[in-house]
Each structure stands twice: as C-alpha cells, then as structure tokens.
Amino acid sequence: MRPKKRVFSTLLSMVLLASIALTGCSGGSGVKKEEAASGGDPGEKTKIVVWIWEDAKNVIDLNMPAFKEKYPNIDVDLHVLAQADVYQNFLIAASSSDKVPDIVNLESHRLSQMIETGGLLDISDKVAPYKEKMNAYKWADAMKDGKAYAMPWDSGPVVMFYRNDLFKQAGLPYEPKDVAEQLKTWEDYKRFAKQLKEKTGVAIMADSKTKTDGTIFQQMLWQHDMWFFGKDGSVQVDNPEFIKIGQYFVDMMNAGYANEVQPWSDAWYSSFQQNKQATIVGASWYDGLLPSLIDPNGAGKWSVAPMPKWSEDDKYSSAIDGGSNLAINKNSKHPEEAWKFIEFMLGNDASQLKMMEGGLFPSLETTYQDPVFQEKVPYFNDQPVRTLYVDAVKNATPITYTKDYPLANELIRNAFAEIFLDKKSVEEVFKKTADQLRQKTGRK
C-alpha cells in the first residue's frame, strides 16, 4: 500500500511520540488494569497500541466491529502517523527499548531494515501455520537467520493501468484483450508512447528527471529479474543489463514520452484529471487510489492490462511494488493480545476480503478462490481486473528488497538527477553509484 499523500513532519511525529509514550506510561490505575488483564483476569481489559498510517487504518476500521465482538477485552488504540514517521519513531522506540507501540505497520521495502534494529519480536511459531498460505515472496523480507519477524498483509503485484479513451483517440488498440496482445514489451510501450504523443500530445507516463521516486525504473528491473543486489548479495548497479534498463528510462524521458512531474506531488495528482498521461505501470493498490483520489471522475476511462516485459521469453512477467506487514514490538507488554489482533486481521479470509473494499490486494492466497476476484468492476469499464492481479502476483519475479534497499534507492535517484542535470552518460554515473553503494554497505 502507498500513502494518499506523503507528509513529512518530524516535529509532529515527535509530539505524537511523546503523547504515545505518556499514554503508555501515565494513568497508573489504567496501566495496572492492563497488566492485570494481560495476566489473565477475564474481567479486565488490555489496551494495545498500533502505529499505523491513515490508509491502513481506514481498512483496519472495516474489521474493528467484528474484532471487538470476538475480543471484547482487547482495546485497540490505532495511532495514525505519517508513513515516514512510523519508521523514524520506531527506530527511536527500538533503540530505547520502549514498550510502545505493541504493533507496528511496516512496508515490505522497509521491513528488513526494521528487523535489523533488533526491536521486533520473533513470531516464527505464530506465523508457521500461514507460511504456505501467503505469497511466498513476502517471507523473504520478513525473515532473518531463519526466524520470522512479521506477518504479511497486502501485496503489490504490478500491472498497467491505462486510459482506454486516450488510446482510442490516438488510434491505438484500447480494448484490454487487444492491448494485452499488442503491447507486450517495453519496446511496444515506447512505440505506443510515440503514437500517443504524435496523435494526441499526451505522454504515456509521468515521472521527473531530477525528482523521480525510482518506482517505474525499479519495476522494469524487477520484472527482468534484475535488482540493486544479486542473488549472492553483490552490487549490480554497474551490471550491463542494469545500465541498459537505466538507459531506456533516460531515453523515454528525453524523448518527451513522460509528463515531467514529481511523483506523489500535488501536481502529479492533478495531472491525471488534466489528461496529461495515459498509463500507470503500477501496483494493484492503484485499484483503490484511482477512484478515490487520483481520478474520481475517471470511471469507465481506465482499463487494466499486464505490465510490459523486456522479452516475450522472460521467465517472469510481473514485478512487485510495495505491500505491507504487521509486526510486534519485542518489548511489548502484551504480545499475545497483539498477535490475536494480527491473526484476526491478516490470517483469515473474511477479514482480508473485507479490507479489499479499501483497494488492498491480500497476500493470503486462500482468498483468491472467492467469487469477488471474478467480479466485474464498474470503475474499470466492468473489467474483472482482480483476475489480472492474481495472475501478476503468481508470475512476479521473487526478489528480496534487503536492508540496504532504502540507501540503494536514494543513491539511484540521485544518479538519475546527475545524469539529467549534468548530461552525463548512464554508464559513467551508474558505475560511480555502484562504487558508492559498495563502499557504504561493505558489499562486493
């Protein structure tokens, strides 16, 4: 899942952190009651604190009435923080052995980094019944030294959302089956981009030369079984295939096939309603964001097709972007109650299917047999789009983000800015970036 808007407010987060800490430490009688309850008195209530961002809370709220009915003695305090502040504050909490929060919401691309703090509880035994039921790739970032530290929540299989009306105006195929047949590769994507630009003036994608978030470039890498780090852990940024994909991104930007706008900025949001780009090669969670926030008036204009591949012969046909997990603070005073909450929300079909109403695609594969996955979706011109998400997640390349992903992503974003601002070659800058990454991580 992704935030509706990224809001970075360190001051606010510190105030909230202080407030949360006080909540957890003040009110002596309240704490005693919680401690008594956790000790087994069925008449007392236990309060657990969950650090979570707004979008995630909104879907959790859909299941709270059922949770309260099953567990009337567990009060859940859902503390909403900006996404970046969840990580920043948990780093502080882990370093100070803080007992709050009991549960923390973590995106997959930050999960390995948070496990490295040593602040998460080993829940290997608890998640064991779910190991075969979840998307297999999700466990890679949740594990360290054979132990599991988080329960998968949602996944982000990548597809291509496209504007069928703009494709039609450009004389391009616009029915989903025709688009899937004629836009199979990234070269096809470039060909579509050229015709779209010439016939309508509309760009095929949106991104920024100097402020890219690196997402679409990473999806190109991921589908091709290429990543910042190889299977042996070595840095791959100066690998010829990595450079080739970087050059493709640069060529698309220089050709004017992208609407230049910073991803997730206000201008980015408004550009969709201004018809400035025709596709989002993105994760399934756009299913919820498009009708609610990005293009609320776009019903019927958007369709979905598989994402492009580098070669029709590629072993894998999709990528992953994001997805999140729930984990328990190692110092929580209420780990059993925390697990009951996590298991209720993420470990049963009914809860996961309910949260699909918020646009999340469950990691729990037992849900995929539900008829809801075959239903036509009015916003997408009655296309049964969820079947494409299932196909995508089953055919996504199994890649692990690793603990060094945040650093690698920062360096590659800076690399693209240097390439465009200083007009340097992709090969030159990527080789320098690879050396920096090796120096900072100690990898080969």
Side-chain angles (χ1 to χ4, degrees):
M1 71 181 67
R2 281 291 176 94
K4 288 183 176 178
K5 293 189 178 182
R6 293 175 184 274
V7 180
F8 300 95
S9 175
T10 302
L11 177 60
L12 176 60
S13 69
M14 295 305 292
V15 170
L16 285 169
L17 180 64
S19 173
I20 292 165
L22 287 170
T23 301
C25 300
S26 64
S29 58
V31 171
K32 289 177 182 176
K33 285 182 179 179
E34 293 167 13
E35 290 174 346
S38 64
D41 185 339
E44 298 291 343
K45 286 193 173 185
T46 298
K47 184 176 76 175
I48 58 173
V49 177
V50 183
W51 284 0
I52 198 167
W53 49 86
E54 185 178 1
D55 289 1
K57 177 185 180 298
N58 290 342
V59 292
I60 286 288
D61 281 342
L62 298 174
N63 283 321
M64 284 308 296
F67 179 80
K68 290 178 179 176
E69 183 176 354
K70 183 170 183 178
Y71 296 109
N73 289 335
I74 300 177
D75 283 340
V76 182
D77 185 355
L78 296 169
H79 266 276
V80 173
L81 298 171
Q83 219 158 1
D85 293 339
V86 170
Y87 304 116
Q88 181 180 350
N89 290 352
F90 189 72
L91 287 171
I92 297 171
S95 65
S96 58
S97 300
D98 201 324
K99 296 177 176 56
V100 177
D102 298 284
I103 297 172
V104 59
N105 189 184
L106 300 168
E107 292 170 288
S108 292
H109 71 264
R110 298 294 296 268
L111 181 54
S112 292
Q113 187 186 40
M114 293 298 111
I115 291 173
E116 286 295 318
T117 66
L120 298 178
L121 184 68
D122 174 7
I123 54 174
S124 302
D125 292 342
K126 297 184 185 304
V127 304
Y130 301 99
K131 291 295 290 290
E132 302 299 323
K133 297 180 179 179
M134 298 287 183
N135 297 152
Y137 84 91
K138 292 283 292 191
W139 293 111
D141 282 302
M143 307 285 292
K144 181 185 178 185
D145 299 332
K147 297 178 180 177
Y149 292 90
M151 178 78 155
W153 182 344
D154 70 304
S155 298
V158 175
V159 295
M160 184 181 76
F161 299 88
Y162 70 94
R163 284 281 300 270
N164 54 61
D165 58 329
L166 297 178
F167 274 28
K168 186 177 182 180
Q169 287 177 30
L172 291 165
Y174 59 94
E175 294 288 351
K177 63 180 178 57
D178 296 329
V179 173
E181 181 62 31
Q182 298 187 46
L183 199 167
K184 292 183 177 179
T185 68
W186 287 107
E187 282 306 309
D188 293 335
Y189 188 73
K190 185 183 289 185
R191 176 169 54 83
F192 270 54
K194 184 174 185 295
Q195 184 166 331
L196 188 69
K197 188 73 174 180
E198 290 175 350
K199 298 292 185 182
T200 68
V202 175
I204 200 164
M205 55 187 265
D207 211 322
S208 169
K209 291 180 177 178
T210 57
K211 295 182 178 179
T212 178
D213 64 353
T215 299
I216 191 167
F217 173 64
Q218 290 169 31
Q219 290 162 358
M220 294 174 184
L221 291 173
W222 194 305
Q223 181 275 315
H224 199 45
D225 199 9
M226 175 61 60
W227 197 235
F228 298 100
F229 313 110
K231 304 296 190 241
D232 62 354
S234 62
V235 172
Q236 297 293 307
V237 176
D238 51 358
N239 181 302
E241 282 297 304
F242 197 104
I243 293 171
K244 173 185 168 184
I245 295 171
Q247 186 66 56
Y248 177 92
F249 176 77
V250 169
D251 291 345
M252 290 290 288
M253 297 297 295
N254 284 336
Y257 296 154
N259 173 37
E260 279 200 58
V261 62
Q262 182 179 357
W264 305 104
S265 64
D266 289 341
W268 180 86
Y269 279 95
S270 61
S271 68
F272 287 96
Q273 298 179 47
Q274 295 166 356
N275 303 325
K276 291 188 174 181
Q277 57 273 329
T279 74
I280 300 174
V281 179
S284 55
W285 36 256
Y286 279 101
D287 184 291
L289 290 184
L290 274 166
S292 64
L293 195 67
I294 294 175
D295 196 3
N297 298 318
K301 297 178 179 178
W302 287 92
S303 297
V304 184
M307 73 172 291
K309 303 191 295 184
W310 285 103
S311 166
E312 292 189 43
D313 298 327
D314 279 350
K315 180 179 180 181
Y316 301 103
S317 59
S318 189
I320 295 294
D321 180 21
S324 59
N325 314 267
L326 291 178
I328 300 174
N329 181 354
K330 183 177 72 175
N331 298 300
S332 166
K333 293 165 64 178
H334 311 298
E336 293 305 319
E337 288 80 2
W339 172 249
K340 287 177 180 175
F341 176 83
I342 290 174
E343 187 174 40
F344 182 88
M345 293 295 169
L346 310 185
N348 73 81
D349 288 8
S351 296
Q352 286 277 20
L353 290 169
K354 188 71 176 176
M355 289 190 283
M356 282 183 64
E357 295 176 14
L360 298 189
F361 180 81
S363 300
L364 186 61
E365 294 185 354
T366 53
T367 62
Y368 301 165
Q369 304 304 316
D370 191 275
V372 71
F373 283 89
Q374 305 295 326
E375 288 182 356
K376 297 177 180 179
V377 180
Y379 183 85
F380 294 105
N381 216 17
D382 282 339
Q383 185 182 0
V385 295
R386 298 185 188 103
T387 60
L388 277 81
Y389 308 153
V390 174
D391 287 342
V393 80
K394 289 181 176 177
N395 291 286
T397 312
I399 283 178
T400 307
Y401 277 105
T402 83
K403 66 181 178 60
D404 292 325
Y405 164 78
L407 172 63
N409 185 40
E410 179 184 351
L411 291 178
I412 209 69
R413 293 166 60 190
N414 293 339
F416 278 121
E418 184 176 349
I419 289 166
F420 287 115
L421 287 173
D422 298 340
K423 302 186 186 310
K424 292 183 177 178
S425 76
V426 175
E427 182 175 4
E428 175 190 0
V429 177
F430 276 21
K431 285 185 174 179
K432 185 181 75 172
T433 303
D435 290 340
Q436 291 173 336
L437 193 53
R438 291 187 179 99
Q439 183 179 25
K440 289 177 180 292
T441 63
R443 293 173 181 262
K444 293 182 179 178

